[in-house]
Structures are given as structure tokens and as C-alpha cells.
């Protein structure tokens, strides 16, 4: 990999991947939203351009003609919060992903990678379980699943290698969304006792630095038309992760399990198997969950002091 295009380059995952690629000698053309580039570093080998999601088909007119080889697509509207349940927005995201794929081909890229999600597997399980009433988060999962299927077909038709990394649950410094790790850390900072489900459902997390390295390695070594799960490699019941977090950052607090009803789908532990990712790319996570939570806590405290 010599020159990569990265959409969503100012986002939590996209900016980390940009830094990882640059640190390993890859030239990067970063695509940001509405001139927002506060998380994109100023350094040699990096060029930054603005292009919104609904304009991706025009990217060929914006970017200079040069030898691009890999296209990373991280831009996705409504990945957290209430917009996860916006059906029209999530369907648009799927179409915009296909637009990015076609644009990658026009720009001469031989490989296209998108930020897939473990939610794709949860969504299929939720949709095909008799009598189940899936929650609104599965609308976001449905958007990811639809984009995956459509991109596979389109990539085969137009002749570009599609590689589909799937993130379990990313966390770490730089993320501000109201997701589980962040909301729990915020409660710990305020000395509140967090409340959870019983925590028996299988889960996994991956720290942002490990995640960025995984995307680089998958971009370099991943096989065409393969999906690669990115996780810690030590998936287990959610309660065990949360107890590890408590011991690492708030041993004086009581984490209360069973107060919140669980309405999701409990995937079998086999769905979190990262062995194919390690076998094909050499990726193995290095940051344990407790250490990652300590680093994230310190980052949040620093934000409060600024």
C-alpha cells in the first residue's frame, strides 16, 4: 500500500487510521466533512479535501489524478445516538457506501475497505428469530448489512477487490459518543454506581490503537471478498469486561448487574472468532480492556481540565 484515500478522516476511527497509515509510510488523501479537520494531523504525506457523503460521486472531480491504490470508507452518518434509528438516513448510508465503492474504482484503486460491524451478525439473528422484537439499534445494523451485500455484488461487477473488516466495539481516547464505555466512565468520574443488564451476553471490545493497526494490516494483506472481525481475541460475557473495567478504574464503586432489562440478541462466542484475521494479516490485539479503560479515563479527565 502506497497511497490510500480515507473518508471520514476526521472521525474517531478514520483519524486513528490516518495516523497509523502515515506512521507506516503510506501517503494519505483524507476526505473530511464540511472542512472539519481538527483531528487530522498536519504532516508530510497527507492531503486533505472536503466532500460530504451525498457528494461522493463527485470526488473524481475534486481529487488530483495520481496513483491511488486503496480506499478506506469510514464516513457514516448516524453511527451513534438517536440517528441510529433513522431508517431513511441508514438507507442513504448504504447507497453512499456503494457510491464510494464506484468512485474508488474510477480513481484507480484496486482495493476497497469499509468499516463493517458485528451488528451485521446481530441484525441477522434478530431478524430471523421467531417472535423477536428488535430494538431501534438494529436499523443501524440493517444499514451496515445492506451496504455489505450491495457492495459485494457491485464490486464483483465492476472489478474491484472488496475487503470487509468488521468492528466489534471500538473505544478509547477521542471518542465522545454516548456508548457503553464512555457512559460508564463518565459515571465513574462522578462516583455514581453504574447499572447494567445481567451481563451474560457475549461481547468483545477493541482499543482504538489496536483497531487502527488492524485496518492497516487488513488493507495490506487481507484477501479479496473476505470479511475480517476485529476484536480483542478474548470475547466473553459482558459482565467480565465490566468487572475488569471496575477493577482498573473504580474499585471503590459497586457495578450493579441485572437492573436493566436485556432486549438484544446474544450471539454465540464463535461469532467473535478473530482467528482468520490473525492468520491472514498477523493482527493480534495488544491492549487489554482494563488498560484501555485506564487510558480512556485519563483522556476524559484531561478534557475536563481544559
Amino acid at each position: 500500500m502506497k497511497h490510500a484515500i480515507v473518508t471520514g478522516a476526521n472521525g474517531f476511527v478514520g483519524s486513528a487510521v490516518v495516523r497509523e497509515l502515515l506512521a507506516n509510510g503510506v501517503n494519505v488523501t483524507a476526505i473530511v466533512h464540511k472542512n472539519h479537520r481538527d483531528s487530522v494531523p498536519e504532516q508530510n504525506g497527507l492531503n486533505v479535501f472536503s466532500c460530504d457523503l451525498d457528494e461522493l460521486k463527485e470526488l473524481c472531480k475534486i481529487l488530483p489524478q495520481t496513483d491511488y491504490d486503496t480506499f478506506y470508507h469510514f464516513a457514516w452518518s448516524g453511527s451513534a445516538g438517536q440517528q441510529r434509528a433513522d431508517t431513511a438516513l441508514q438507507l442513504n448510508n448504504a447507497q453512499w457506501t456503494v457510491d464510494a465503492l464506484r468512485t474508488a474504482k474510477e480513481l484507480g484503486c484496486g482495493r476497497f475497505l469499509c468499516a463493517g460491524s458485528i451488528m451485521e451478525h446481530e441484525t441477522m439473528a434478530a431478524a430471523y428469530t421467531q417472535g423477536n422484537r428488535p430494538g431501534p439499534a438494529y436499523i443501524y445494523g440493517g444499514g451496515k448489512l445492506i451496504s455489505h451485500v450491495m457492495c459485494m455484488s457491485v464490486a464483483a461487477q465492476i472489478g474491484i477487490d472488496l475487503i470487509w473488516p468488521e468492528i466489534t466495539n471500538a473505544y478509547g481516547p477521542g471518542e465522545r459518543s454516548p456508548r457503553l464505555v464512555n457512559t460508564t466512565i463518565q459515571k465513574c468520574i462522578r462516583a455514581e454506581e453504574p447499572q447494567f443488564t445481567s451481563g451474560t451476553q457475549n461481547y468483545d471490545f477493541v482499543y482504538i490503537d489496536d483497531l487502527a493497526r488492524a485496518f492497516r494490516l487488513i488493507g495490506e494483506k487481507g484477501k479479496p471478498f473476505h470479511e475480517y472481525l476485529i476484536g480483542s481475541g478474548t470475547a466473553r460475557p459482558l459482565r467480565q469486561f465490566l468487572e475488569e473495567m471496575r477493577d482498573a478504574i473504580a474499585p471503590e464503586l459497586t457495578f450493579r448487574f441485572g437492573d436493566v432489562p436485556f432486549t438484544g440478541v446474544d450471539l454465540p462466542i464463535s461469532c467473535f472468532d478473530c482467528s482468520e484475521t490473525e492468520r491472514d494479516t498477523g493482527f493480534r490485539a495488544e491492549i487489554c480492556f482494563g488498560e484501555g479503560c485506564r487510558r480512556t479515563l485519563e483522556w476524559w479527565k484531561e478534557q475536563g481540565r481544559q
Side-chain angles (χ1 to χ4, degrees):
M1 184 175 4
K2 295 182 179 179
H3 194 156
I5 299 170
V6 180
T7 71
N10 200 53
F12 173 54
V13 176
S15 61
V17 173
V18 168
R19 292 191 296 271
E20 171 71 17
L21 294 176
L22 290 170
N24 285 273
V26 179
N27 291 322
V28 175
T29 294
I31 311 302
V32 300
H33 171 63
K34 293 182 180 178
N35 295 309
H36 292 309
R37 58 163 299 164
D38 50 291
S39 295
V40 181
E42 294 274 3
Q43 67 182 82
N44 293 333
L46 175 67
N47 292 301
V48 182
F49 297 86
S50 294
C51 182
D52 289 346
L53 276 164
D54 58 358
E55 301 170 333
L56 285 174
K57 289 188 288 187
E58 305 300 316
L59 202 55
C60 292
K61 301 176 183 178
I62 299 172
L63 299 186
Q65 295 298 313
T66 188
D67 294 328
Y68 306 107
D69 49 60
T70 306
F71 195 113
Y72 286 94
H73 182 57
F74 296 111
W76 189 278
S77 185
S79 59
Q82 294 183 348
Q83 288 187 318
R84 274 192 162 205
D86 187 328
T87 54
L89 179 60
Q90 298 305 333
L91 287 170
N92 281 338
N93 277 316
Q95 181 59 58
W96 292 329
T97 302
V98 175
D99 291 344
L101 175 68
R102 293 186 183 279
T103 299
K105 175 65 176 180
E106 291 180 35
L107 287 166
C109 294
R111 294 161 80 79
F112 181 91
L113 293 86
C114 182
S117 172
I118 189 71
M119 280 290 294
E120 297 171 47
H121 297 271
E122 290 187 35
T123 298
M124 287 190 291
Y128 294 104
T129 298
Q130 296 283 52
N132 188 41
R133 298 170 185 260
Y138 291 109
I139 295 171
Y140 161 80
K144 287 289 186 180
L145 183 59
I146 291 167
S147 66
H148 188 170
V149 173
M150 291 196 300
C151 281
M152 287 184 70
S153 294
V154 173
Q157 292 168 19
I158 66 177
I160 186 172
D161 288 346
L162 176 71
I163 307 164
W164 200 266
E166 293 174 341
I167 304 169
T168 51
N169 289 280
Y171 74 102
E175 190 200 21
R176 298 178 179 272
S177 73
R179 299 176 67 202
L180 178 63
V181 170
N182 280 340
T183 56
T184 303
I185 287 177
Q186 292 296 316
K187 289 179 180 179
C188 290
I189 291 173
R190 297 191 299 267
E192 298 176 8
E193 293 185 352
Q195 297 173 288
F196 308 101
T197 67
S198 60
T200 57
Q201 66 270 36
N202 292 319
Y203 228 78
D204 201 3
F205 295 91
V206 60
Y207 187 68
I208 186 60
D209 292 356
D210 281 332
L211 179 63
R213 183 165 50 86
F215 269 104
R216 175 179 61 82
L217 290 170
I218 293 170
E220 292 173 348
K221 303 176 182 179
K223 296 178 180 178
F225 294 91
H226 278 58
E227 61 183 71
Y228 291 102
L229 192 69
I230 308 174
S232 70
T234 58
R236 53 195 189 275
L238 175 60
R239 178 166 182 159
Q240 294 182 23
F241 280 106
L242 293 172
E243 289 173 340
E244 183 178 348
M245 175 196 282
R246 179 200 61 204
D247 294 345
I249 69 171
E252 73 284 359
L253 291 180
T254 299
F255 279 25
R256 297 169 56 182
F257 295 96
D259 290 352
V260 179
F262 176 62
T263 59
V265 173
D266 185 13
L267 293 176
I269 203 72
S270 59
C271 287
F272 297 88
D273 183 6
C274 299
S275 59
E276 185 171 4
T277 307
E278 181 176 354
R279 182 173 63 250
D280 287 356
T281 73
F283 170 74
R284 179 183 290 183
E286 296 176 351
I287 308 300
C288 71
F289 189 60
E291 174 60 25
C293 288
R294 279 192 291 270
R295 296 183 187 186
T296 308
L297 173 69
E298 290 306 312
W299 178 80
W300 273 112
K301 287 181 175 179
E302 182 62 32
Q303 302 311 296
R305 288 191 289 266
Q306 292 179 359

